Amino acid sequence: MTIRRLNPLDAEAYLGIRLEGLKNTPEAFGSSYEEEKDHPVEKYKRKFQSNNSFTLGAFEDTQLVGIVTLVKEKLLKLQHKATIIAMYVSPEKRGLGIGKSLMVEVINVANDMEGVEQIYLTVVTTNEPARNLYASLGFHVFGTEKRALKVDDTYFNQEHMVLFL
């Protein structure tokens, strides 16, 4: 397995795994498959050229099997913060340490970013494996948002977590 920063040439593969995640685990993301299925691949090509965010991909051979994005805050008073979003590993590749490898790498990159002192993320409370992974890496819960997401007629709570670097 190889982990590297995605670039514009990876945009199609990213869009594929992103839509897979939105379809397979709608409760894990604020966005929905219906909202993103028609986004043009050019959107992601531009995203991968940003200086304030980056997306890492985990590859087995040439297949993209996991992703995670880190977004650094732009406003002067918030520049000490970054947020992890869009963490996903394909179901058939879970349990192999890919998620942990992605998280360790994204934390390492955040550590190297000038001025970043803390990393935030949110996780749905029903995703026990993800919650355990984040806790094992030093993230701490600082709040729970009740009914944070609504998928069809089902509500999901989210935990807000932080890691101080």
Side-chain angles (χ1 to χ4, degrees), residues 10-157:
D10 299 309
E12 277 192 51
Y14 176 84
L15 180 56
I17 196 169
R18 173 78 175 151
L19 293 176
E20 172 189 306
L22 292 171
K23 190 178 262 188
N24 289 344
T25 53
E27 73 281 0
F29 303 98
S31 187
S32 70
Y33 176 82
E34 293 74 24
E35 290 168 314
E36 291 197 23
K37 67 181 173 65
D38 296 323
H39 285 186
V41 72
E42 287 74 25
K43 171 187 175 180
Y44 301 100
K45 288 181 181 181
R46 287 189 303 275
K47 175 183 174 179
F48 297 149
Q49 295 173 321
S50 167
N51 290 329
N52 287 320
S53 73
F54 67 90
T55 300
L56 295 177
F59 291 84
E60 280 196 348
D61 297 318
T62 60
Q63 182 186 4
L64 183 58
V65 297
I67 52 174
V68 64
T69 298
L70 183 77
V71 180
K72 184 177 182 205
E73 293 289 343
K74 296 176 191 174
L75 297 176
L76 187 61
K77 295 178 187 177
L78 302 177
Q79 288 180 354
H80 64 292
K81 300 178 182 183
T83 303
I84 291 174
I85 61 171
M87 172 68 176
Y88 179 75
V89 175
S90 292
E92 65 275 6
K93 300 299 180 182
R94 292 181 188 161
L96 303 174
I98 294 170
K100 183 174 184 176
S101 295
L102 280 166
M103 288 298 296
V104 167
E105 186 61 26
V106 81
I107 291 167
N108 288 339
V109 172
N111 259 318
D112 292 339
M113 294 176 85
E114 185 178 340
V116 174
E117 300 172 11
Q118 54 208 62
I119 306 171
Y120 293 86
L121 59 77
T122 59
V123 60
V124 68
T125 58
T126 56
N127 189 344
E128 197 68 32
R131 293 170 68 214
N132 290 338
L133 170 62
Y134 303 148
S136 76
L137 295 171
F139 283 85
H140 298 280
V141 175
F142 67 89
T144 301
E145 183 178 355
K146 305 273 187 206
R147 297 171 58 152
L149 298 174
K150 184 178 180 182
V151 180
D152 298 321
D153 291 327
T154 304
Y155 292 97
F156 294 90
N157 300 337

